[in-house]
Amino acid sequence: MAIYNRKEGQEQPYWALGPFKIRLPFVHYRWEKPEFIQALIMFIVSLGMIPLLQEFLGLPYQVALAYTFIGGFAFMLPSFLGVAMVPGWITPAIPVVLLYLGNFEPGPEAIQALFALQFLVFLIFFVLGITKLGEKLVNLVPNSLKAGILMGAGIAALMGEISTGGRLMNTPISLIIGSLVAFYLLFSLSFKILVNKNNIAKNIANYGLVPAMVIAMLIGWSMSEYPVPNIEWGITNPAFGEMWSYLPFAVGFPGLDFFLMAVPTAIIAYIIAFGDIIVGKTLLQSADEVRKDEKIDSDVSRVHVVTAIRNLIHAFFAPYPGLAGPLWTPIQATVVERYKYGRKAMDSIHSGMGTFWIAGFLALFILPLVSMFQPVLPIALSLTLIITGYVCVSLGIEQVTTTIERGVAGIMAIVLAVHGATYGLIAGIVLYFLIEKTTLFKQKEQRIEEEKEDLAG
């Protein structure tokens, strides 16, 4: 139970602090058992960043683990500051970020490059948040370029997994079966019908990616694709002292050339992240229509500022290839779906979301859990990227309606996936002005009709 209780139809209680709304567990909202249990398994996804930190930044495992503690702390901030979204990485941008980091030697140079990128992402979110210009700016980006960015990120994510030497090709049985289970549970039309008819299926759906993760891990261990864990007991001991040697304060801050190289990737990361904000608002609106007992505040500017703060923390204390994004879509969706069952199921949207990442942060201290999942961390990362690839490609296709837009988006996506953000943006912008510019000032409906007439002729 919480000290403060919400009156029917009002917003969940909070302490006002400037643009923020402070909420604490057991004070402003109750502890939710299902989200607590889910977090004890799904926190493994946050550990999934460790292999990338080791490969692209050259960090030792214990230092990379310390980075994830900084990330776990930052994950708790949105709920604490009044954001009704479960935060995550800017997952679709990870393949683009990795293409960018591929230009630098693992070690001090890569750390400086990632600091430059993450600091630029902080600046973009902060400026657009405090000026409230975020939504207006992103709406100026043509549909073909939005689609190209999303599809390019999705293609890059899938290419990294299924190409020769990729994780799926190295451990095919566990990842293929895990991916198929995830696709079925998250996207299958037949499973959605089953959820409406069967309580067991509904309970399975509440846990999002957890069943697919567990199945993939069990198969990975049983088929010897991943080593059986050596479970240790006690409290996790991340190397915070050693971590200092791998931060910008020790390796040095980047020069202007690093920041200039990072600009295209930072722009793409923001556009993708803003798409996540729209998805998050849409999910909250669907919940708001069902639950009339709580007023949900989904202020976009606050989301921008809080996401900016998280990226600033990461830039200085744990530069992250995943960056800091506003939404972890699968978890947001599962929390919202359980919230729709009523106040007895979940008292407040904030109680579900707040419980999840507090529990996820606490799980990082439980050495038996961390050591058990350590050998299968690549599974968590791979399933996340494969699902992200599917979602990005499908959402990208939805952005475009004409043959011309689809052509521009498709070419931009391929260039971006193969050659990175800079060349992808250049290709997309050049093709947009070369092909779409002549119809720039016409209504979209008029362009569609004219294209149909041209095709018919």
Side-chain angles (χ1 to χ4, degrees), residues 53-182:
L53 291 167
Q54 292 176 294
E55 179 180 355
F56 288 90
L57 298 191
L59 305 187
Y61 172 80
Q62 291 298 133
V63 173
L65 180 62
Y67 269 42
T68 66
F69 274 76
I70 303 298
F73 169 78
F75 279 139
M76 294 189 292
L77 287 180
S79 178
F80 175 71
L81 297 175
V83 174
M85 293 185 189
V86 180
W89 307 325
I90 308 181
T91 309
I94 291 176
V96 184
V97 173
L98 297 184
L99 286 171
Y100 162 75
L101 288 177
N103 297 313
F104 305 95
E105 189 72 24
E109 187 180 63
I111 294 171
Q112 290 178 339
L114 191 50
F115 170 86
L117 172 61
Q118 195 136 32
F119 190 80
L120 286 177
V121 173
F122 149 71
L123 284 178
I124 294 172
F125 271 103
F126 185 73
V127 171
L128 296 181
I130 61 174
T131 60
K132 303 183 184 295
L133 292 175
E135 187 169 355
K136 295 180 182 179
L137 181 62
V138 172
N139 285 339
L140 294 176
V141 179
N143 289 338
S144 55
L145 300 194
K146 290 179 185 177
I149 289 170
L150 286 170
M151 292 168 63
I155 293 170
L158 293 172
M159 285 173 56
E161 296 303 313
I162 67 177
S163 61
T164 303
R167 281 180 289 266
L168 188 140
M169 301 305 293
N170 291 333
T171 54
I173 301 175
S174 56
L175 285 181
I176 289 175
I177 294 176
S179 297
L180 291 176
V181 172

Side-chain angles (χ1 to χ4, degrees), residues 92 96 134-155 267-276 278 391-401 405-406 408-410 412-413 416 424-425 427-429 432 436 444:
V96 184
E135 187 169 355
K136 295 180 182 179
L137 181 62
V138 172
N139 285 339
L140 294 176
V141 179
N143 289 338
S144 55
L145 300 194
K146 290 179 185 177
I149 289 170
L150 286 170
M151 292 168 63
I155 293 170
I267 293 172
I268 282 179
Y270 173 75
I271 294 173
I272 291 173
F274 189 85
D276 285 341
I278 298 301
V391 172
C392 285
V393 171
S394 60
L395 290 178
I397 292 173
E398 288 180 3
Q399 300 293 317
V400 290
T401 55
E405 288 179 338
R406 286 191 286 269
V408 171
M412 178 184 177
L416 191 152
L425 275 180
I429 292 171
Y432 171 74
E436 294 186 64
K444 186 173 183 179

Side-chain angles (χ1 to χ4, degrees), residues 20-23 77-84 297 302 306 350:
F20 307 117
K21 296 181 176 181
I22 307 299
R23 291 187 177 94
L77 287 180
S79 178
F80 175 71
L81 297 175
V83 174
D297 178 11
R302 186 183 304 120
V306 173
H350 297 281

